[in-house]
Amino acid sequence: MIRLLLLSVLCSAASAKYNVVFIVLDDMRPAIASYGDPKALTPHMDSLLKEGFYFNRAYAQQAVCAPSRNSMLTSRRPDTLHLYDFYSYWREFAGNYTTLPQYLKSHGYFTASVGKVFHPGVTSNFTDDYPYSWSTEAYHPPTEEFMHAPVCEDAETGKLVQNLLCPVDVTSQPGHSLPDIESVEKAVDILNNVSEPFFLAVGLHKPHIPFRIPREYLDFHPLWKFYHPDTSYKPYDLPNVAWNPFVDVRGRHDVKKLNVSFPFGPLPKDFRAQIRQYYYASVTYVDALIGKLLKAIEKDNTIVILTGDHGWSLGEHGEWAKYSNFEVALRVPLIIRAPGMQPKTKNRIDQPVELLDIFPTIVDLLELPQVPKCSSKSQDLCTEGESLVPYLRNRGKRNVRKMAFSQYPRPGDYPSEKPNSDKPRLEEIKIMGYSVRNHRFRYTLWVSFDPKNFTRNWDEIHGEELYDHSLDSGENINLASREPLSAIKAHFRRILKEKFSEA
């Protein structure tokens, strides 16, 4: 039996068509020049994008790290995993669901995790799901332990504090390095020594807060670029339940000193500009690291996929975080470069897609046995997404009607610090916001939710949002109260009920 199993694995490995490098960025909105962001300076991601395809409307299933990554890597929605926070391991809590790397490992691939791929801690069993998902123990850079330590110099006192804005001289930092630098060095070492076939997942922390980056990257983004007129205020017609008070940002030393009123007080104009400056500098920093990684990849036999776990608000609606169902919190870059699949003309795909589509897409690109669609029966291996390969191969496929679905939990109708309305624990959740995005509209419905039995009451509504992106791409005008649009709202409400009642 052992001989047969070994022979099966060796045959699978021998027939493997390509290797895969999967790059996941943290809190990464599509702040990429080739995505159309004029403030971005991202030459290496631009180059990757131009050599492959990019999905202009790719969305996370929940705009917070652990639930999003669990959903993406298992290809199951948060409602299926029953995981909306950081405090449970899906294999013990919901089911022994097969992950993307686990599936590839079972087909003879060497699988390795570098940096933040799964969210570390309880949510991945303190092992990043090793040995299920990975052929070797997941690598975390030694300097990762200092990410949230008081290592930023206070401009007034010179003391080391926990700042949001934290430019540093790398050699003066603990370990004389930074986590993402170490992760890329490790990934390059693996690429230079691994035997094929392999699946290498590289998770980089930036542009996640705090913005602790080499200070020289600020020179690429002068502050004057970010003093543009903005809409850094809570729209008057936005339901309170939809708004997040960015509690983690408020907890930073430099933000505390601003004495911003909770929960709706706006940050000062100068500080708003600085946050944007540091975010874009963080993106340019991580882009430079991606350039080093790309140099080590053999183009002819390696698929490269780059994405983010969710987006991040830069003052839209007065918010400075993720933790919502807004476009800026959910929309992420999704770039796919595959050998023999270069775009002939247009490489932009506008169909709304989801992060849970990545699992079946990689399986399809590797020409492995397809992952079955999930049904009402319990299945260890299945997907709630769909392969995106037909969108890459067939331009006509890009006209089909496809929607992206997301959700976010709240502990109450009004933003609060305790319980934290940005990151409520499971037992604190009382409301769930379900959101659907098609080519034109985003519709979000906030309904009562019972965390004990994971049920929702569609008739007990706490808030409703409707945005028309053909007129309002910033989602600043909530049209939900407009009577002439009641039929559109009813249509999307039916879609949400059908989609999430199945879970």
Side-chain angles (χ1 to χ4, degrees):
M1 179 62 110
I2 294 176
R3 266 186 198 173
L4 288 174
L5 180 60
L6 180 59
L7 181 62
S8 173
V9 170
L10 288 175
C11 288
S12 178
S15 63
K17 192 172 184 181
Y18 299 121
N19 303 310
V20 182
V21 174
F22 181 43
I23 305 169
V24 185
L25 306 183
D26 206 344
D27 288 14
M28 180 67 181
R29 58 195 273 161
I32 299 172
S34 293
Y35 257 85
D37 191 328
K39 293 183 175 60
L41 183 60
T42 51
H44 302 292
M45 285 188 275
D46 292 341
S47 177
L48 179 67
L49 181 151
K50 290 170 184 175
E51 294 171 348
F53 296 87
Y54 72 104
F55 290 83
N56 193 45
R57 294 172 182 159
Y59 297 97
Q61 276 47 76
Q62 187 179 330
V64 68
C65 300
S68 175
R69 291 164 187 264
N70 290 340
S71 174
M72 174 171 56
L73 292 164
T74 63
S75 198
R76 315 231 182 181
R77 300 189 185 280
D79 262 10
T80 303
L81 297 173
H82 293 163
L83 295 179
Y84 317 100
D85 60 19
F86 298 78
Y87 309 108
S88 298
Y89 179 41
W90 78 89
R91 294 190 189 276
E92 298 174 352
F93 189 72
N96 191 27
Y97 300 142
T98 302
T99 68
L100 166 61
Q102 181 182 1
Y103 182 74
L104 299 184
K105 182 182 174 185
S106 73
H107 283 273
Y109 280 76
F110 173 81
T111 59
S113 172
V114 172
K116 184 179 177 181
V117 181
F118 283 103
H119 195 286
V122 177
T123 190
S124 58
N125 202 33
F126 296 99
T127 65
D128 294 77
D129 198 46
Y130 173 79
Y132 292 101
S133 289
W134 311 109
S135 303
T136 184
E137 289 187 25
Y139 172 83
H140 285 279
T143 58
E144 200 173 67
E145 66 174 293
F146 303 107
M147 284 197 311
H148 299 285
V151 293
C152 316
E153 185 175 332
D154 182 83
E156 297 176 359
T157 66
K159 294 181 178 179
L160 295 180
V161 295
Q162 291 174 297
N163 271 355
L164 177 68
L165 311 180
C166 186
V168 299
D169 296 314
V170 174
T171 56
S172 69
Q173 289 296 287
H176 310 294
S177 189
L178 293 174
D180 288 344
I181 294 174
E182 292 180 315
S183 287
V184 168
E185 289 172 349
K186 178 65 174 180
V188 169
D189 181 62
I190 291 173
L191 288 169
N192 289 336
N193 292 283
V194 68
S195 58
E196 300 177 358
F198 63 83
F199 172 81
L200 173 62
V202 183
L204 301 181
H205 286 283
K206 288 294 161 279
H208 193 289
I209 66 169
F211 299 123
R212 185 165 70 109
I213 58 172
R215 66 174 69 249
E216 58 265 28
Y217 284 92
L218 291 172
D219 296 337
F220 293 104
H221 297 278
L223 190 58
W224 61 261
K225 281 174 42 176
F226 304 99
Y227 274 103
H228 57 81
D230 60 57
T231 54
S232 298
Y233 57 86
K234 177 181 177 291
Y236 79 94
D237 51 6
L238 182 71
N240 287 333
V241 71
W243 204 80
N244 78 74
F246 48 95
V247 174
D248 52 356
V249 167
R250 292 172 184 272
R252 297 284 164 177
H253 176 78
D254 47 355
V255 181
K256 283 182 179 179
K257 292 196 299 183
L258 301 174
N259 293 319
V260 178
S261 61
F262 186 90
F264 300 122
L267 294 176
K269 181 179 179 181
D270 289 347
F271 201 80
R272 297 201 302 260
Q274 282 186 285
I275 293 178
R276 295 190 184 102
Q277 177 194 30
Y278 275 73
Y279 184 91
Y280 279 91
S282 298
V283 171
T284 299
Y285 161 57
V286 84
D287 179 79
L289 294 176
I290 289 170
K292 294 180 180 180
L293 181 61
L294 292 175
K295 282 183 180 178
I297 296 173
E298 175 56 57
K299 285 186 180 182
D300 293 338
N301 64 356
T302 306
I303 296 164
V304 178
I305 297 180
L306 181 145
T307 191
D309 56 356
H310 44 69
W312 211 76
S313 296
L314 285 170
E316 293 89 352
H317 316 102
E319 298 178 339
W320 302 90
K322 48 247 188 183
Y323 314 129
S324 78
N325 279 323
F326 286 122
E327 185 86 357
V328 289
L330 292 167
R331 183 169 171 250
V332 296
L334 177 56
I335 302 171
I336 299 177
R337 186 183 76 186
M341 199 177 281
Q342 281 70 35
K344 294 179 181 178
T345 54
K346 183 180 177 183
N347 67 340
R348 167 174 157 170
I349 301 171
D350 284 320
Q351 291 297 330
V353 299
E354 303 175 294
L355 287 184
L356 48 76
D357 295 331
I358 290 174
F359 188 157
T361 299
I362 291 178
V363 169
D364 201 357
L365 286 169
L366 296 175
E367 299 182 2
L368 296 174
Q370 289 190 353
V371 179
K373 295 287 288 185
C374 294
S375 66
S376 57
K377 296 180 181 179
S378 176
Q379 296 170 272
D380 291 343
L381 173 63
C382 69
T383 175
E384 292 185 65
E386 68 173 57
S387 172
L388 303 178
V389 172
Y391 294 90
L392 306 179
R393 290 181 174 154
N394 180 4
R395 294 184 63 86
K397 176 74 173 174
R398 302 181 194 184
N399 296 319
V400 302
R401 297 178 66 188
K402 179 173 168 61
M403 301 181 187
F405 297 90
S406 306
Q407 60 189 107
Y408 209 86
R410 294 283 191 236
D413 290 286
Y414 197 80
S416 59
E417 292 180 275
K418 295 182 180 180
N420 187 339
S421 58
D422 291 344
K423 296 189 289 186
R425 288 178 173 264
L426 175 62
E427 64 272 14
E428 297 169 339
I429 299 172
K430 292 183 173 59
I431 301 167
M432 188 69 72
Y434 292 100
S435 191
V436 55
R437 175 73 156 92
N438 72 358
H439 68 287
R440 178 174 173 179
F441 292 100
R442 175 173 295 283
Y443 174 75
T444 302
L445 186 67
W446 300 87
V447 297
S448 292
F449 182 84
D450 188 342
K452 294 179 181 178
N453 54 22
F454 303 99
T455 58
R456 59 209 63 74
N457 184 347
W458 295 101
D459 296 322
E460 193 170 322
I461 297 173
H462 294 257
E464 195 173 19
E465 300 168 78
L466 177 66
Y467 303 103
D468 184 346
H469 275 252
S470 68
L471 304 171
D472 174 30
S473 61
E475 297 182 343
N476 292 310
I477 304 172
N478 182 7
L479 303 173
S481 62
R482 311 295 173 90
E483 184 59 31
L485 302 177
S486 58
I488 294 176
K489 291 191 302 177
H491 168 71
F492 284 124
R493 191 179 299 181
R494 283 193 299 270
I495 289 173
L496 287 176
K497 290 177 70 174
E498 290 173 6
K499 173 63 68 172
F500 289 99
S501 292
E502 293 174 359

